[in-house]
Amino acid sequence: MSKESTEIIICQQGLVLHPDKALFWKEENTLILSDPHFSKTAHFRKNGIAVPASVDDNNYRIMDQLIDLFEPSRLLILGDLFHSDYNNEMQEFGKWRDRNSALEIELTLGNHDKLDPYFYSLLGISAHNYIKEGPFFFTHDPDDLKEDPEGYFMHGHIHPSVKIRGRGRQSVYLPCFLFREEYSILPSFGGFTGTHRIEHKTGDRVYAILEDQVLELAAK
């Protein structure tokens, strides 16, 4: 089944919203993800909760498909690349990195990114507290910043979802992209993360993520 992306313009920049919970910045040939939380399954198994490792395998497969589709020169991850301290599942990321060694990877550090900076350098990842580029200011959680920089914020951390109502009073929560006047929030890329319901306010541009398409919700 083919998947349908949606293209929008923010700050005069072309952004492609993909149903695999990824964003492609056309002008900079950059694929942007947020909150993959790799190795989270191992963290839960270590604490006695049986979670299959195939969750991470699927995330790697989807990343490969996105890279094949967009052919980016750079991957930008808006925080929480890994879920916790080092564990053996992180070796799988190293293998994936070896297969994609030509891809530039940048990370804005999130609250779960607790590894020694040397570990990121071994993986060929440039880690930052934030990145200012063009009209955008990329970070994981703006509330963590010790300064008030100018620019249109693009961040993660929240894992946004929106409530969709159907017939017969049925409803479902779907992950979404949220764009407001001064900032945007990306959905969590990881396949084993929860979501946080956002309130759809007047002026918001909200794009709900279905299995094979990105659906813009009616403006309020």
Side-chain angles (χ1 to χ4, degrees), residues 37-44 46-47 56 80-91 110-116 119-120:
H37 287 268
F38 283 114
S39 79
K40 185 175 182 179
T41 54
H43 175 76
F44 272 71
K46 181 180 179 181
N47 288 277
D56 273 356
D80 290 356
L81 171 59
F82 299 113
H83 183 71
S84 187
D85 298 327
Y86 182 86
N87 60 57
N88 289 335
E89 278 192 11
M90 293 181 186
Q91 296 177 14
N111 54 299
H112 283 275
D113 293 312
K114 301 176 180 179
L115 300 176
D116 188 283
F119 184 84
Y120 299 112

Side-chain angles (χ1 to χ4, degrees), residues 44-205:
F44 272 71
R45 289 198 302 274
K46 181 180 179 181
N47 288 277
I49 303 173
V51 180
S54 59
V55 173
D56 273 356
D57 294 340
N58 190 54
N59 289 337
Y60 292 125
R61 178 184 61 81
I62 293 173
M63 281 204 304
D64 286 338
Q65 291 174 348
L66 290 167
I67 290 169
D68 289 343
L69 174 64
F70 292 110
E71 299 182 345
S73 58
R74 175 176 59 166
L75 173 63
L76 173 56
I77 300 172
L78 303 186
D80 290 356
L81 171 59
F82 299 113
H83 183 71
S84 187
D85 298 327
Y86 182 86
N87 60 57
N88 289 335
E89 278 192 11
M90 293 181 186
Q91 296 177 14
E92 296 304 314
F93 186 90
K95 295 176 183 178
W96 178 87
R97 182 62 170 128
D98 288 342
R99 298 194 301 271
N100 295 274
S101 58
L103 182 66
E104 179 184 358
I105 301 181
E106 293 191 270
L107 168 69
T108 63
L109 294 166
N111 54 299
H112 283 275
D113 293 312
K114 301 176 180 179
L115 300 176
D116 188 283
Y118 180 65
F119 184 84
Y120 299 112
S121 66
L122 286 177
L123 291 171
I125 297 173
S126 299
H128 316 266
N129 290 322
Y130 61 82
I131 296 173
K132 177 69 172 72
E133 185 171 343
F136 299 128
F137 196 97
F138 299 102
T139 186
H140 179 65
D141 181 3
D143 290 340
D144 290 340
L145 298 177
K146 297 180 181 179
E147 54 188 286
D148 188 19
E150 295 182 357
Y152 183 87
F153 278 87
M154 191 174 294
H155 67 92
H157 184 55
I158 302 297
H159 305 187
S161 65
V162 64
K163 188 175 184 179
I164 305 294
R165 295 186 182 275
R167 296 179 179 179
R169 297 184 179 180
Q170 294 180 338
S171 63
V172 64
Y173 290 95
L174 297 175
C176 67
F177 296 89
L178 170 66
F179 294 88
R180 288 183 170 154
E181 182 178 359
E182 67 278 12
Y183 66 88
S184 61
I185 308 176
L186 271 62
S188 170
F189 174 78
F192 186 51
T193 59
T195 62
H196 174 73
R197 180 188 173 188
I198 59 158
E199 296 296 333
H200 189 180
K201 300 178 180 179
T202 301
D204 287 350
R205 297 169 65 181

